[in-house]
Amino acid sequence: QVQLVESGGGLVQAGGSLRLSCAASGRTFSTYGAGWFRQAPGKEREFVAHITGSGSRTYYADSARARFTISRDNAKNTVFLQMNVLKPEDTAVYYCAADRADWGIRPSDYHYWGQGTQVTVSS
């Protein structure tokens, strides 16, 4: 069982930065792949970034590849999403997810989810 708690969301102007954190419970979190997803009002939840359990490999959605960085600190059971050059279209609730499978870009690939943190980017 893994519990995930996101933090770090907020209101930022376009061009600004935010760093999201996802704190996980459990002693074996390093064996779980982790991902960030986002969901804007009226839209489906979409993939943003993934990182393997060891942190050795990452993968990004096209919209995030040049601006966002996913990382993790397994000693602290935490996954991060550094978001730079934010745009109004990045406004969404951002969710952290984890699964024993070390790969996934679909919501259905993940068994464990956090409650989400709101990111609002003003123009």
Side-chain angles (χ1 to χ4, degrees):
Q1 187 77 11
V2 174
Q3 293 183 326
L4 306 171
V5 179
E6 302 97 332
S7 62
L11 174 64
V12 63
Q13 290 188 331
S17 298
L18 281 175
R19 189 192 197 202
L20 306 184
S21 298
C22 173
S25 65
R27 292 174 292 177
T28 60
F29 186 61
S30 62
T31 64
Y32 288 75
W36 285 97
F37 289 76
R38 67 186 183 186
Q39 188 166 18
K43 294 188 177 181
E44 293 185 352
R45 192 167 297 189
E46 65 173 0
F47 170 76
V48 176
H50 174 269
I51 189 167
T52 55
S54 67
S56 61
R57 291 183 296 158
T58 58
Y59 183 76
Y60 297 90
D62 289 343
S63 59
R65 186 165 289 116
R67 301 180 295 124
F68 295 1
T69 302
I70 188 171
S71 61
R72 65 191 297 163
D73 183 344
N74 284 335
K76 297 182 178 180
N77 277 9
T78 304
V79 178
F80 304 98
L81 185 68
Q82 176 68 44
M83 304 187 294
N84 298 325
V85 195
L86 283 161
K87 305 174 182 180
E89 51 264 43
D90 294 318
T91 295
V93 177
Y94 283 70
Y95 296 90
C96 176
D99 198 273
R100 282 284 192 183
D102 216 12
W103 168 252
I105 62 172
R106 302 170 301 179
S108 59
D109 293 329
Y110 293 85
H111 189 70
Y112 301 103
W113 290 86
Q115 83 289 350
T117 185
Q118 177 71 46
V119 171
T120 302
V121 184
S122 63
S123 57

